[in-house]
Structure formats: structure tokens, C-alpha cells
Amino acid sequence: MPWHVSIGVLLLVLVVLRLMWVASQRHQRPVHEPTTAKLVIAGHGLLYACMLLLPLAGIMIMIGGGYGLTAFGFDIFAEGEKVAWAATLGQLHAPLAWMLTALIIVHTAMALYYHYIKKDNTLKRML
């Protein structure tokens, strides 16, 4: 469990940094095909939402259970009383993990579709 929590906290920090980078680059984003633009924007929005909410829900599990939060040996939140509302929000952790997994599979499939079928540079741009 300690590594799971530590990696989750690290991923949360990386996702926040990524969102800051995305926000700074919003005027340099590629133009999407009109027929799929809304799906592309919604898909990316859901990916970012899950990547942000998943570790936050994990933190809620820890705080809600009164366990505190320790990452890489550093105490971020001390152990304490159970917090019912945080524990309730923490129950979203597993469904968010499954949703993120499905979104990653669809995202990968679409990148491969655009690379091998549409023959554009989407995959190269992502890498």
C-alpha cells in the first residue's frame, strides 16, 4: 500500500503540471476534423478529469479512513479521526480507475487508427 499511495501522489503532481502546460499551450493546439472535434475534446477532457480525480479520490480514502497520508516516507496529512464525507468520495477511486483504463484503451486505439488508417501525424505528435 505505501508504494501505491506514493505513486498516486507523484502522479497527481505530474498531472497538475501537465494541466498547467496544456493551459499554457491552448492556443497552439492542432485543429481537429470538424466531424470528430467534439468527441476529441470530450475524450481529452474525460482523460484529464480521470487523471486528476483518481488520485484525489485515493487521498480521500486515506483521509476518510483516518489513516493520514504518507508519500515516499513524508507525512503529508497526519493520522486522525475518520472523515465520513471523504470516505464516501473515496469510493469513487475504483470506478474512476476502470473508467480511466477504458479511456486509455480507446485513446490508444484512436491514435493507432489515425496513424495506420488515416495516415496522419497524430501519433508522431503525441510521442
Side-chain angles (χ1 to χ4, degrees):
M1 179 77 106
W3 283 108
H4 182 105
V5 174
S6 294
I7 291 169
V9 170
L10 175 63
L11 289 174
L12 177 60
V13 170
L14 292 174
V15 167
V16 169
L17 291 173
R18 173 70 179 186
L19 287 169
M20 290 169 46
W21 180 84
V22 166
S24 73
Q25 301 295 311
R26 68 182 175 276
H27 298 296
Q28 298 174 8
R29 303 295 297 163
V31 177
H32 304 296
E33 294 179 17
T35 54
T36 60
K38 288 182 182 179
L39 287 173
V40 170
I41 292 167
H44 285 121
L46 287 171
L47 273 168
Y48 283 117
C50 282
M51 288 189 296
L52 183 64
L53 294 175
L54 182 62
L56 290 174
I59 290 169
M60 292 296 105
I61 290 172
M62 301 305 290
I63 293 171
Y67 304 114
L69 184 68
T70 301
F72 299 106
F74 295 99
D75 288 333
I76 299 170
F77 293 106
E79 291 182 14
E81 300 285 322
K82 290 184 177 184
V83 181
W85 65 266
T88 300
L89 287 176
Q91 292 177 2
L92 293 172
H93 188 68
L96 285 167
W98 285 110
M99 185 175 177
L100 180 59
T101 301
L103 287 167
I104 289 169
I105 291 168
V106 171
H107 190 259
T108 302
M110 292 311 297
L112 293 173
Y113 168 78
Y114 273 89
H115 183 73
Y116 290 109
I117 306 296
K118 301 282 270 183
K119 304 222 185 272
D120 71 0
N121 68 347
T122 300
L123 185 61
K124 291 177 184 173
R125 200 175 58 243
M126 289 170 59
L127 301 174

